C-alpha cells in the first residue's frame, strides 16, 4: 500500500487522477492548511458551538456569529483559493471539487459553507434574471476578504426528507419581489449574506409541485436584518459551520427561475451538494486512515509495529482499496455533474444519468466513511476514544455526512425513482461498457431489472441490497476508468 500518499490530500488526488488542474494553487492551499489551518481547525472543533450574539450594546438585534478571528482567516482562505470563483472562471466545477476535497481532509465543517456558497452562485446564475445577477453575483465571486457567503435552506421542523409535505414557509407576492414567512430548522451557514430558500407561494398546492426557489439576502433594501437567528445547534461535528434555526418574517426575496420548475431547481441545488459530499466522505476516510497508519507504525505489540502484523496489514490494504473505490465513485459523480450543470428542465438523458450516479455515490461513500473511521479508532485501541487523539473526530465528522443532503434512505429511494421513471440504469450500463466486461454488465443488469420488476412494497423493502451492489459495481468500473485513461483530467 502506498501509505505516504495518505498523508497529503493533493498527493492522493494525484495518485488517483494523474495530472491535476491548477496544481500549484492546490499545493499552496494544502501548504496553508499544514502551516496554519490544522491548528485553527482543531481549536474550533474543541471549542464547540460558536456564540450567537443577538443584540448589540444598544439593544438592537444584530444576530452575529462569534468565532475567534483565526476562524475567519481560515474560512476566507478557501474563498480566496477559488472554491466559488474558479467554477465561473474555468466554466468547470472540477477544481472547486478538488479544493473542497482538500478542505474536507482538514476540516469537513468548512466544506459546507464553500459548497453551499457555490450552489447559491450557480442557482443565481442559472435561474436569476439579469438584474438580479448583476446585483448579487459579483459579491459571491469576489476573491478577497469582502466575499459574500451563500446558504441553501430547505429543511423545516417537520422534517427534511419529505419537503413537499413539510415546507410551510409561505411566499406572498409584493411588487417586483416576494415576502417570505416561516422557520428554517436546519440552516447551515446561518449568518450568510445570501441564501436560496424553498418556500410555497400562497396560492400553490400543498405538495412538492407547489414549492419554489427564492433568493433571500441577509439585509433588506432599507439595511435592516432580513432574517433572524433563533439559536445555533450544538452538533457532534462540523462545528466550524454554524447551523441554526432561522426565522423569516415578511423577509424580502426574489423568485429564481419559474414556479413551475421550483422543485427541479431545489433538486439541482441539493444534487450539487450530494456530489461534493461524496468526495468529502472519501477525504474523511483518507484522513482517518492516515491517522491510523501513523499510529500503527509507532505502536509496538508482540515485538513489532502493529502495522506489520499480517492481519492488520491486510486490513490496511483492504481499507485503502475501499477508499480508492469511494473516491473514484465520488469523482465520477463530479465529472458527470460537470457535463450537465448548465442544463435546465427539460433535462437530457445525461442529466438523469448524473442523478443516478450522484445518488449511488452519496449513498455508498457516506456509508463507507464512518466504517473506515470506526476501524481507524479501533486501530488506536483505547487511545482512539480519547479527545487527545485526532481519530475520534473523524468518526464524528463522518456521521454527519451520512445525514445531511439527504439520508441513505433518500438516496436509495430517489435513485430507484430515476431508474424506474427515466431508465437511468440503461444509460449507466452503456456508460460503463468500456470499464467492465460484457458478462459483468449482463449480470448486474439482470440483478437490477429483476429487482425493478418486483411488486412495489417488496421492491422498496429490498432496495438497499440491490442499490449497494450497483454502487459497488459502479465504483469498481470508475476505478478502472481512472487507471485506464492516460490523462484523467
Ligand atoms: C449538521 C447538519 C446541517 C444541516 N444543514 C442544512 C441546511 O443548511 N439546509 C437544509 O435545508 N437542511 C440542512 N440539514 C438537514 C438535512 O438536510 C436533513 O437532516 C435531512 O434532509 C433529513 O431530514 P430529517 O433530519 O428531518 O429527517 P426526516 O426527514 O425526519 O427522516 C427521519 C428518518 O426517516 C427516514 N425516512 C424518511 N422517509 C423515508 C422513506 N420514505 N422510507 C424510509 N425511510 C424514510 C429518513 O431517511 C431518516 O432516517 C442539516 C442537517 C445536519 C445534520
Amino acid at each position: 500500500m502506498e501509505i505516504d500518499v495518505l498523508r497529503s490530500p493533493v498527493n492522493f488526488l494525484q495518485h488517483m487522477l494523474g495530472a491535476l488542474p491548477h496544481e500549484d494553487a492546490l499545493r499552496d492551499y494544502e501548504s496553508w492548511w499544514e502551516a496554519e489551518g490544522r491548528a485553527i481547525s482543531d481549536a474550533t472543533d474543541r471549542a464547540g458551538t460558536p456564540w450567537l450574539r443577538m443584540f448589540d450594546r444598544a439593544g438592537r438585534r444584530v444576530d452575529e456569529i462569534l468565532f475567534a478571528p483565526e476562524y475567519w482567516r481560515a474560512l476566507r482562505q478557501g474563498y480566496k483559493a477559488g472554491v466559488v470563483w474558479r467554477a465561473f472562471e474555468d466554466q468547470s466545477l472540477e477544481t472547486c471539487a478538488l479544493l473542497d476535497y482538500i478542505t474536507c481532509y482538514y476540516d469537513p465543517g468548512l466544506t459546507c459553507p464553500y459548497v453551499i456558497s457555490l450552489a447559491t452562485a450557480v442557482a443565481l446564475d442559472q435561474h436569476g434574471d439579469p438584474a438580479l445577477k448583476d446585483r448579487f453575483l459579483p459579491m459571491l465571486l469576489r476573491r478577497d476578504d469582502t466575499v459574500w457567503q451563500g446558504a441553501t435552506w430547505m429543511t423545516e421542523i417537520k422534517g427534511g426528507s419529505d419537503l413537499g409535505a413539510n415546507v410551510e414557509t409561505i411566499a406572498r407576492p409584493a411588487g417586483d419581489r416576494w415576502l417570505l414567512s416561516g422557520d428554517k430548522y436546519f440552516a447551515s451557514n446561518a449568518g450568510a449574506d445570501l441564501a436560496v430558500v424553498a418556500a410555497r407561494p400562497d396560492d400553490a398546492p400543498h405538495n412538492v409541485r407547489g414549492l419554489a426557489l427564492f433568493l433571500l439576502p441577509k439585509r433588506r433594501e432599507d439595511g435592516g436584518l432580513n432574517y433572524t437567528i433563533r439559536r445555533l445547534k450544538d452538533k457532534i461535528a462540523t462545528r466550524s459551520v454554524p447551523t441554526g434555526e432561522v426565522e423569516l418574517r415578511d423577509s424580502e426575496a426574489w423568485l429564481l427561475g419559474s414556479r413551475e420548475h421550483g422543485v427541479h431547481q431545489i433538486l439541482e441545488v441539493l444534487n450539487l451538494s450530494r456530489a461534493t459530499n461524496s468526495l468529502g466522505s472519501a477525504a474523511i476516510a483518507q484522513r482517518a486512515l492516515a491517522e491510523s497508519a501513523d499510529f500503527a507504525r509507532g505502536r509496538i505489540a508482540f515485538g513489532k509495529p502493529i502495522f506489520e502484523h499480517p492481519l492488520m496489514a491486510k486490513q490496511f490494504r483492504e481499507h485503502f482499496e475501499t477508499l480508492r473505490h469511494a473516491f473514484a465513485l465520488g469523482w465520477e459523480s463530479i465529472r458527470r455533474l460537470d457535463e450537465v450543470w448548465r442544463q435546465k428542465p427539460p433535462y437530457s438523458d445525461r442529466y438523469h444519468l448524473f442523478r443516478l450516479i450522484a445518488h449511488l455515490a452519496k449513498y455508498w461513500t457516506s456509508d463507507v466513511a464512518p466504517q473506515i473511521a470506526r476501524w481507524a479508532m479501533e486501530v488506536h485501541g483505547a487511545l482512539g476514544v480519547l479527545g487527545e487523539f485526532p481519530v475520534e473526530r473523524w468518526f464524528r465528522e463522518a456521521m454527519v455526512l451520512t445525514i445531511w443532503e439527504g439520508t441513505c434512505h433518500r438516496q436509495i429511494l430517489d435513485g430507484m425513482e430515476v431508474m424506474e421513471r427515466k431508465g437511468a440504469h440503461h444509460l449507466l450500463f452503456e456508460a460503463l461498457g468500456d470499464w467492465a466486461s460484457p458478462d459483468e454488465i449482463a449480470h448486474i443488469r439482470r440483478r437490477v431489472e429483476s429487482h425493478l420488476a418486483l411488486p412495489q412494497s417488496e421492491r422498496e423493502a429490498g432496495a438497499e441490497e440491490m442499490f449497494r451492489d450497483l454502487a459497488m459495481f459502479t465504483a469498481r468500473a470508475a476505478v478502472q476508468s481512472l487507471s485506464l485513461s492516460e490523462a484523467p483530467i
Side-chain angles (χ1 to χ4, degrees), residues 12 15-16 101 278-279 281-283 285 289 317-333 357 360-362 364-366 368-369 372 435 440 468-483:
F12 180 75
H15 164 82
M16 293 302 296
Y101 187 89
S278 309
L279 275 195
S281 295
L289 276 184
R317 280 195 302 276
E318 285 170 355
H319 286 303
F320 185 68
E321 213 37 43
T322 306
L323 165 65
R324 283 167 39 82
H325 282 70
F327 177 86
L329 183 56
W331 186 250
E332 186 65 17
S333 73
I357 292 175
L360 290 167
K362 164 68 166 86
W364 190 65
T365 60
S366 74
V368 157
I372 291 185
W435 303 304
E440 286 169 323
R468 187 186 300 118
D469 287 352
L470 185 58
M472 290 169 72
F473 174 82
T474 309
R476 273 196 301 277
V479 168
Q480 281 298 312
S481 84
L482 292 180
S483 56

Side-chain angles (χ1 to χ4, degrees), residues 152-155 159-161 186-188 235 238 243 400 403-407 409 413:
T152 60
W153 298 336
M154 319 291 173
T155 308
S161 306
F186 268 93
S188 286
K235 296 174 290 177
T238 63
T243 302
V400 174
I403 294 171
W404 69 9
E405 313 305 348
T407 58
H409 306 123
L413 295 173

Side-chain angles (χ1 to χ4, degrees), residues 112 116 151-163 166 184-190 196 198 233 235-238 241-244 270 274 399-411 413 460:
C112 173
I116 58 185
T152 60
W153 298 336
M154 319 291 173
T155 308
E156 300 192 4
I157 189 152
K158 288 185 179 167
S161 306
D162 187 2
L163 289 178
N166 293 335
K184 293 291 167 186
Y185 199 65
F186 268 93
S188 286
N189 221 15
V196 289
K233 308 285 195 191
K235 296 174 290 177
I236 62 164
T238 63
V241 55
T243 302
L270 292 178
R274 287 166 177 169
M399 282 313 297
V400 174
L401 266 70
T402 68
I403 294 171
W404 69 9
E405 313 305 348
T407 58
C408 288
H409 306 123
R410 206 56 265 146
Q411 305 310 319
L413 295 173
E460 209 172 300

